Amino acid sequence: MSQGSNFVDYVKICCRSGHGGPGSAHLHRDVFTAKGGPDGGDGGRGGHVIVKGNAQLWTLLHLKYRKHVIAGDGESGGSSQRSGKTGRDEILEVPLGTIARNAETGEVLFEINADGETKIITPGGRGGLGNWHFKTPTQQTPRFAQPGEDGREDWNVLELKLLADVGLVGFPNAGKSTLLSVVSAAKPEIADYAFTTLIPNLGIVSYRDNRSFVMADIPGIIEGASQGKGLGIRFLRHIERNSTLLFMVPADTNRTIKEEYDILLNELNEYNPELMHKPRVLAITKADMLDQELQEEMEKELPKNVPHIFISAVAQKGITELKDLLWREINK
């Protein structure tokens, strides 16, 4: 199994809710009553298609091949004002951070953020009213009842956006996976070729006094990602759900640190200008290659409006200071 084959963050599903059951037009009859009044019960509600949050899930893989979800129909009402049975609900369990939207209009329907939270994505049809509802002084034996309401059929999209405190933003081979493996128990694949990381990885970073925060390693962005180049456009949406962005630029970049930072910032701005309002921290990685004099020279050219730090995940340089800086930004 390839690295990305078990990570699914986007599925399109046809959701069909159940039809409501028809009401009953029954008239009461028994051995002691020749002409009883109307006593037809209501029809049962059609089954809903429901989305439910599950904190144990982290991907939409289990829904990848489930293209049609069909809820049960409600049953007809009975005599003695007995209501019909409610149709079977279909429940789709999803990871936290999943957004549901209408596939045709693109309208966002809701978002699942809590374990056990439920939302109806396609409501079932209402059951029809029995004939006893229509009894009046001038029409004491109505011989009709209300039909059930039809269910709905919608194409919907379920889209997973990772929820994390810190999102790592950088070009391929900027050292994002290495940093995550050092500060957390996550074990992302690390290699010296571009696009080693094909799926987002989450890690829990331990901090002082038994506190912690969640860090997300997002697959590398390339210049032009917001126009669909490389892998970046597929994963840029995951960056939206991080409260703080950690920009990572390697010290051995072919550009200047500021140029590479500006390119990354521009890609985020092109994708979603609202990302510009998130707190940002700049980390210059592979700083074990720099001596003090070269580091001081590079600092003069760094962007002035963003806190920065020189780190080396391999040499464990600046890691504690980086955690302190990120914790302050998260809790501002």
Side-chain angles (χ1 to χ4, degrees):
M1 182 177 290
S2 67
Q3 183 187 23
S5 63
N6 63 345
F7 182 84
V8 177
D9 59 355
Y10 181 98
V11 293
K12 185 177 179 181
I13 297 179
C14 179
C15 301
R16 188 191 307 170
S17 59
H19 303 303
S24 172
H26 188 268
L27 299 175
H28 179 64
R29 296 288 186 272
D30 61 34
V31 67
F32 302 109
T33 309
K35 294 183 178 181
D39 69 343
D42 301 340
R45 169 184 62 78
H48 299 316
V49 179
I50 298 172
V51 179
K52 181 179 180 181
N54 186 338
Q56 303 303 314
L57 297 175
W58 67 283
T59 174
L60 297 171
L61 176 65
H62 60 294
L63 300 176
K64 182 177 182 180
Y65 301 107
R66 193 176 179 185
K67 292 301 180 187
H68 293 84
V69 177
I70 303 173
D73 295 334
E75 295 185 359
S76 302
S79 59
S80 302
Q81 298 184 17
R82 288 178 297 181
S83 297
K85 184 179 179 181
T86 299
R88 181 193 72 256
D89 292 333
E90 283 290 335
I91 298 178
L92 305 175
E93 294 195 338
V94 298
L96 308 188
T98 297
I99 290 176
R101 67 174 77 241
N102 185 284
E104 296 180 2
T105 65
E107 176 192 3
V108 175
L109 304 176
F110 54 80
E111 178 181 344
I112 299 293
N113 286 322
D115 188 35
E117 180 182 3
T118 59
K119 297 282 187 180
I120 297 173
I121 191 169
T122 307
R126 292 177 296 182
L129 299 177
N131 63 344
W132 72 274
H133 286 280
F134 305 106
K135 179 181 177 180
T136 67
T138 58
Q139 189 179 40
Q140 296 186 4
T141 56
R143 298 175 184 272
F144 61 87
Q146 197 177 47
E149 190 176 71
D150 290 338
R152 285 170 39 184
E153 183 175 313
D154 301 322
W155 279 94
N156 296 301
V157 167
L158 297 177
E159 185 178 0
L160 173 61
K161 296 185 178 182
L162 293 181
L163 292 168
D165 298 304
V166 178
L168 305 183
V169 182
F171 286 105
N173 286 50
K176 301 184 299 297
S177 297
T178 304
L179 175 65
L180 186 67
S181 69
V182 168
V183 299
S184 75
K187 301 299 179 188
E189 182 180 349
I190 300 171
D192 60 354
Y193 53 86
F195 298 116
T196 309
T197 302
L198 296 176
I199 63 172
N201 292 293
L202 288 178
I204 298 177
V205 180
S206 298
Y207 190 58
R208 307 174 193 272
D209 302 322
N210 294 320
R211 293 174 293 183
S212 62
F213 56 90
V214 179
M215 182 178 285
D217 172 20
I218 310 296
I221 300 171
I222 66 169
E223 190 172 1
S226 57
Q227 279 74 48
K229 295 181 180 179
L231 297 175
I233 185 63
R234 181 182 171 193
F235 297 108
L236 276 171
R237 63 176 175 271
H238 292 303
I239 296 174
E240 295 179 278
R241 308 307 305 282
N242 301 303
S243 60
T244 299
L245 303 180
L246 175 60
F247 287 76
M248 300 184 64
V249 179
D252 59 352
T253 177
N254 294 325
R255 309 179 181 93
T256 67
I257 303 295
K258 187 176 186 306
E259 285 174 348
E260 190 152 322
Y261 169 77
D262 287 342
I263 292 172
L264 291 169
L265 200 61
N266 180 65
E267 292 303 322
L268 299 190
N269 185 48
E270 290 289 326
Y271 175 73
N272 183 354
E274 292 183 7
L275 293 175
M276 297 298 97
H277 303 298
K278 290 184 177 292
R280 302 191 294 268
V281 174
L282 174 60
I284 296 87
T285 64
K286 306 179 184 179
D288 54 316
M289 304 167 57
L290 307 174
D291 57 28
Q292 188 63 32
E293 183 180 350
L294 186 55
Q295 183 172 312
E296 291 174 358
E297 192 66 30
M298 292 177 70
E299 278 191 313
K300 298 177 182 178
E301 301 178 356
L302 296 179
K304 306 299 182 185
N305 60 341
V306 57
H308 65 270
I309 186 170
F310 287 83
I311 66 169
S312 171
V314 174
Q316 298 282 308
K317 176 183 177 181
I319 300 300
T320 301
E321 293 79 0
L322 175 63
K323 290 182 181 181
D324 291 336
L325 180 55
L326 291 174
W327 185 261
R328 288 196 300 270
E329 292 296 323
I330 293 169
N331 292 280
K332 271 186 177 179

